[in-house]
Amino acid sequence: MFLEKHLVEDAVVARFDLAKQVIKTAGELALDYFERREELVIETKAEPQDVVSIADKNVEQIILRQIQEAYPKDNFLGEEQGILKGDNDYLWVVDPIDGTSCFVHGMPSWCISIALMQADKIAFGLVYDPNADELFTALSGNGCQVNGKAVKALNIDSVQAGVMGVGTSHRVSSTHCLHFLQGLLDEGGMFIRNGSGALMLAYVAAGRLIGYYEPHINSWDCLAGLILVQEAGGSTNRFLENDGLLEGNSILVSAKKIHHQLDHFTRM
Ligand code: IPD
Ligand code: CA
Ligand code: CA
């Protein structure tokens, strides 16, 4: 892929190249655990639907080790590890397995998500689906690619023109999601939830879904997906406002021309 080097610093391009290798290695390890998943001990976190296994922890560690070897001064935020302070303005934001519930129950809709923040901007994002061997990548200013091939968000002007991804969790009241679904369905729209917010965001970037909404999502679930959608020409809400990085926030991304209408469905 030709990169307009004047738009992206060499230091960011070097990290992007590393991230592409790291996410593939992590994907191989995760897939190996997935194929032996009956051996995994499953633990629950704050609430019963929030599950985690040794696969999540070890895949994150392998990602962290490779980043630290190459860039010991970079900051790191991983779902399992939490925050590790470094000594510069790069921050890696990692979800080792997004869609853990699907993973442990034998469904293939899970992925790995890696993003790099440089100060307050997302510099790049990658989502890797090892089952489909699909790598979604976006480097700021250089478009969005799936396995190296350029993709675009849909160019549609009606919510009836395709399927909307919707997610929710027990971190927030069910009323937000139900209110959104009512607005969408009443306008003739349709929805899907595959259990991986990161993968559904990547699908919006690839023009497979018309958008994605979730009333609360964490930064490790969505930073990579946000830049994928932006670079694919879609619209995104201001997720990082109000400390979205550390506290999470609501997320709405979509094809450009329907964003306003979808945003209206989120208003209670
Ligand atoms: C979850 C998934 C799910 C979304 C949740 C996330 P996890 O992440 O992305 O689709 O609805 O908000 O917490 O626990 O599978 O990494
Ligand atoms: Ca996640
Ligand atoms: Ca996870």
Side-chain angles (χ1 to χ4, degrees), residues 79 95 97-99 220-221:
E79 175 171 16
D95 191 342
I97 297 176
D98 184 69
W220 46 81
D221 303 310

PDB file of all heavy atoms in Angstrom, residues 79 95 97-99 220-221, ligand 2:
ATOM      1  N   GLU A  79      -7.820  -4.379  28.109  1.00  0.00           N
ATOM      2  CA  GLU A  79      -9.016  -4.703  28.894  1.00  0.00           C
ATOM      3  C   GLU A  79      -8.655  -5.518  30.135  1.00  0.00           C
ATOM      4  O   GLU A  79      -9.188  -5.279  31.212  1.00  0.00           O
ATOM      5  CB  GLU A  79     -10.041  -5.484  28.060  1.00  0.00           C
ATOM      6  CG  GLU A  79     -11.210  -5.895  28.934  1.00  0.00           C
ATOM      7  CD  GLU A  79     -12.392  -6.483  28.218  1.00  0.00           C
ATOM      8  OE1 GLU A  79     -12.273  -6.869  27.058  1.00  0.00           O
ATOM      9  OE2 GLU A  79     -13.457  -6.565  28.873  1.00  0.00           O
ATOM     10  N   ASP A  95      -8.029  -4.728  22.973  1.00  0.00           N
ATOM     11  CA  ASP A  95      -8.946  -5.764  23.452  1.00  0.00           C
ATOM     12  C   ASP A  95      -8.460  -7.085  22.858  1.00  0.00           C
ATOM     13  O   ASP A  95      -8.523  -7.305  21.651  1.00  0.00           O
ATOM     14  CB  ASP A  95     -10.385  -5.471  23.009  1.00  0.00           C
ATOM     15  CG  ASP A  95     -11.372  -6.377  23.728  1.00  0.00           C
ATOM     16  OD1 ASP A  95     -10.953  -7.409  24.278  1.00  0.00           O
ATOM     17  OD2 ASP A  95     -12.575  -6.045  23.729  1.00  0.00           O
ATOM     18  N   ILE A  97      -9.539 -10.214  23.090  1.00  0.00           N
ATOM     19  CA  ILE A  97     -10.638 -10.964  22.442  1.00  0.00           C
ATOM     20  C   ILE A  97     -11.904 -10.141  22.653  1.00  0.00           C
ATOM     21  O   ILE A  97     -12.338  -9.952  23.796  1.00  0.00           O
ATOM     22  CB  ILE A  97     -10.811 -12.380  23.040  1.00  0.00           C
ATOM     23  CG1 ILE A  97      -9.549 -13.224  22.796  1.00  0.00           C
ATOM     24  CG2 ILE A  97     -12.041 -13.061  22.413  1.00  0.00           C
ATOM     25  CD1 ILE A  97      -9.583 -14.602  23.418  1.00  0.00           C
ATOM     26  N   ASP A  98     -12.447  -9.620  21.576  1.00  0.00           N
ATOM     27  CA  ASP A  98     -13.734  -8.941  21.683  1.00  0.00           C
ATOM     28  C   ASP A  98     -14.794  -9.906  21.162  1.00  0.00           C
ATOM     29  O   ASP A  98     -14.693 -10.408  20.042  1.00  0.00           O
ATOM     30  CB  ASP A  98     -13.759  -7.649  20.859  1.00  0.00           C
ATOM     31  CG  ASP A  98     -15.073  -6.926  21.082  1.00  0.00           C
ATOM     32  OD1 ASP A  98     -15.278  -6.431  22.206  1.00  0.00           O
ATOM     33  OD2 ASP A  98     -15.906  -6.907  20.163  1.00  0.00           O
ATOM     34  N   GLY A  99     -15.792 -10.146  22.030  1.00  0.00           N
ATOM     35  CA  GLY A  99     -16.770 -11.179  21.700  1.00  0.00           C
ATOM     36  C   GLY A  99     -16.452 -12.434  22.509  1.00  0.00           C
ATOM     37  O   GLY A  99     -16.628 -13.562  22.027  1.00  0.00           O
ATOM     38  N   TRP A 220     -11.450   0.104  24.622  1.00  0.00           N
ATOM     39  CA  TRP A 220     -10.733  -1.020  23.992  1.00  0.00           C
ATOM     40  C   TRP A 220     -11.637  -1.771  23.009  1.00  0.00           C
ATOM     41  O   TRP A 220     -11.154  -2.439  22.116  1.00  0.00           O
ATOM     42  CB  TRP A 220     -10.157  -1.977  25.045  1.00  0.00           C
ATOM     43  CG  TRP A 220     -11.116  -2.349  26.136  1.00  0.00           C
ATOM     44  CD1 TRP A 220     -12.100  -3.293  26.078  1.00  0.00           C
ATOM     45  CD2 TRP A 220     -11.190  -1.766  27.442  1.00  0.00           C
ATOM     46  NE1 TRP A 220     -12.785  -3.334  27.262  1.00  0.00           N
ATOM     47  CE2 TRP A 220     -12.245  -2.421  28.126  1.00  0.00           C
ATOM     48  CE3 TRP A 220     -10.474  -0.772  28.117  1.00  0.00           C
ATOM     49  CZ2 TRP A 220     -12.606  -2.108  29.436  1.00  0.00           C
ATOM     50  CZ3 TRP A 220     -10.828  -0.452  29.419  1.00  0.00           C
ATOM     51  CH2 TRP A 220     -11.874  -1.112  30.066  1.00  0.00           C
ATOM     52  N   ASP A 221     -12.961  -1.642  23.180  1.00  0.00           N
ATOM     53  CA  ASP A 221     -13.894  -2.276  22.235  1.00  0.00           C
ATOM     54  C   ASP A 221     -13.979  -1.506  20.921  1.00  0.00           C
ATOM     55  O   ASP A 221     -14.327  -2.090  19.897  1.00  0.00           O
ATOM     56  CB  ASP A 221     -15.329  -2.297  22.786  1.00  0.00           C
ATOM     57  CG  ASP A 221     -15.465  -2.992  24.123  1.00  0.00           C
ATOM     58  OD1 ASP A 221     -14.964  -4.111  24.256  1.00  0.00           O
ATOM     59  OD2 ASP A 221     -16.090  -2.403  25.039  1.00  0.00           O
TER      60      ASP A 221
HETATM   61 CA    CA B   2     -14.597  -6.070  24.266  1.00  0.00          CA
END
